[in-house]
């Protein structure tokens, strides 16, 4: 079906999901919305996250998307069930795919989750993990410094290493995890530093990779896959600093991102 896939995130982090979608589904077109102006979502009240998420969804529905990917863990935790119940297109978040991958990866049933304050407080990952295996022990840690650092394009260097090391120290010292879920789509941009701090014996799970695999399965199931070969025309929208967004995007993607637009989201009523 020749309609785009919609991808939403609180900022630039969902690009980690978008890049994997582009790699695994090279013929599909994406429309990405990053609400960088109001990022991060993690410290915001649940009602505010729901409102902002719906604003992005309404924009994408006008673009006739055939599937919605919520590439934001906080938004997934607070809005996934409502969106699935309301929309007449498939909706996928990033939490369930990440949980399934972590259970495959763990040997000792000790799984760590790092994420925003909202994601950790919601216990969404713990709930998803325990639905599959009630004997999993989950250690969660909020990392509020990570998203602002990524949104500013600070992805390496001594100061970034210091922030990552000090933030993760409690999890490293007080748990026996063998698997760590990066429970925020911004965090894969810091993955190398996170792996260094936690140690090579820890399996790090990026939920974006798993999410892209599930998107492919869902599109095939609903017969929504684009069947021909083409060079897709992706579009990226940001509500914040376009130049910074463009810099981070072109540092992260393998090929230049040409269609980057500024966006002012409208306050709309939920469906």
């Amino acid at each position: 079906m020749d309609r785009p896939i919609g991808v939403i995130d609180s900022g630039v982090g969902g690009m980690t999901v978008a890049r994997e979608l582009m790699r695994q589904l090279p013929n599909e077109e994406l429309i990405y919305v990053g609400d960088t102006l109001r990022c991060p979502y993690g410290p915001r009240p649940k009602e505010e996250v729901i409102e902002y998420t719906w604003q992005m969804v309404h924009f994408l529905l006008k673009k006739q998307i055939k599937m919605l990917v919520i590439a934001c863990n906080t938004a997934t935790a607070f809005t996934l069930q409502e969106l699935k119940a309301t929309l007449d297109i498939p909706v996928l978040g990033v939490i369930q795919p990440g949980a399934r991958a972590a259970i495959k990866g763990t040997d000792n049933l000790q799984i760590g989750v790092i994420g925003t304050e909202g994601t950790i407080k919601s216990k969404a990952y713990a709930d998803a993990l325990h639905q599959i295996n009630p004997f999993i022990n989950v250690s969660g840690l909020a990392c509020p410094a990570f998203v602002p650092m990524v949104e500013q394009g600070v992805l390496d260097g001594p100061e970034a290493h210091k922030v990552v090391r000090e933030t993760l120290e409690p999890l490293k010292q007080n748990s026996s995890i063998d698997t760590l879920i990066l429970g925020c789509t911004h965090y894969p941009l810091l993955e190398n530093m996170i792996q260094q701090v936690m140690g090579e014996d820890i399996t790090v799970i990026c939920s974006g990779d798993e999410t892209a695999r599930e998107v492919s399965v869902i599109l095939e199931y609903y017969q929504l896959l684009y069947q021909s070969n083409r060079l897709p025309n992706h579009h990226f929208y940001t509500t914040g600093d376009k130049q910074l967004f463009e810099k981070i995007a072109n540092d992260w993607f393998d090929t230049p991102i040409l269609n980057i637009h500024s966006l002012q989201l409208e306050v709309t009523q939920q469906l």
Side-chain angles (χ1 to χ4, degrees):
M1 178 183 286
D2 190 11
R3 286 163 54 190
I5 300 168
V7 182
I8 60 173
D9 184 55
S10 62
V12 301
M15 291 184 193
T16 60
V17 178
R19 186 176 79 162
E20 195 60 25
L21 284 169
M22 290 160 65
R23 188 184 71 82
Q24 294 188 32
L25 295 165
N27 296 320
E28 298 288 349
E29 288 189 346
L30 304 183
I31 301 178
Y32 179 99
V33 179
D35 192 9
T36 49
L37 181 66
R38 300 180 294 197
C39 186
Y41 280 10
R44 294 186 179 276
K46 179 178 179 179
E47 295 74 18
E48 205 166 54
V49 173
I50 293 171
E51 178 187 351
Y52 293 169
T53 301
W54 270 107
Q55 289 174 13
M56 291 189 285
V57 170
H58 278 288
F59 172 78
L60 286 173
L61 291 176
K62 293 176 183 177
K63 301 292 185 181
Q64 298 295 306
I65 59 171
K66 62 183 176 183
M67 181 175 181
L68 175 67
V69 180
I70 313 171
C72 171
N73 285 266
T74 305
T76 297
F78 292 157
T79 70
L80 177 63
Q81 296 309 317
E82 180 180 333
L83 288 167
K84 288 177 73 172
T86 306
L87 301 183
D88 60 359
I89 57 174
V91 181
L92 181 65
V94 287
I95 290 175
Q96 287 284 352
R100 283 190 280 270
I103 286 179
K104 290 178 185 176
T106 184
D107 291 322
N108 67 0
L109 303 185
Q110 305 287 320
I111 295 176
V113 181
I114 56 174
T116 68
E117 295 159 281
T119 298
I120 298 302
K121 286 179 183 176
S122 75
K123 300 188 183 302
Y125 270 102
D127 291 344
L129 290 163
H130 289 147
Q131 283 176 5
I132 302 169
N133 185 340
F135 300 105
I136 294 286
N137 184 61
V138 182
S139 301
L141 177 68
C143 304
F146 286 5
V147 170
M149 193 162 66
V150 171
E151 287 288 325
Q152 291 301 312
V154 181
L155 307 178
D156 205 350
E159 187 59 33
H161 278 263
K162 181 174 182 288
V163 170
V164 171
R165 184 174 64 253
E166 291 179 353
T167 300
L168 295 180
E169 190 64 23
L171 185 62
K172 186 175 181 181
Q173 295 299 324
N174 301 318
S175 68
S176 55
I177 64 169
D178 70 346
T179 303
L180 178 65
I181 299 173
L182 303 186
C184 173
T185 49
H186 285 72
Y187 294 1
L189 292 160
L190 305 172
E191 182 180 357
N192 291 338
M193 286 188 289
I194 291 170
Q195 185 78 71
Q196 289 172 18
V197 169
M198 295 304 296
E200 294 302 320
D201 55 330
I202 302 296
T203 300
V204 174
I205 302 294
C206 298
S207 56
D209 298 355
E210 304 302 321
T211 301
R213 293 188 186 97
E214 294 203 15
V215 168
S216 178
V217 172
I218 290 169
L219 290 177
E220 185 171 8
Y221 177 81
Y222 286 103
Q223 299 183 337
L224 294 173
L225 282 170
Y226 185 80
Q227 299 292 346
S228 302
N229 292 323
R230 65 171 172 188
L231 186 63
N233 189 27
H234 306 297
H235 288 267
F236 287 74
Y237 292 84
T238 175
T239 60
D241 187 325
K242 182 181 173 183
Q243 287 186 322
L244 181 58
F245 186 94
E246 187 170 8
K247 179 185 182 303
I248 295 171
N250 286 313
D251 285 347
W252 181 242
F253 285 97
D254 300 324
T255 56
I257 302 300
L258 302 177
N259 298 313
I260 297 179
H261 317 276
S262 295
L263 174 65
Q264 184 173 354
L265 289 169
E266 299 177 3
V267 178
T268 53
Q269 296 296 317
Q270 298 176 18
L271 294 178

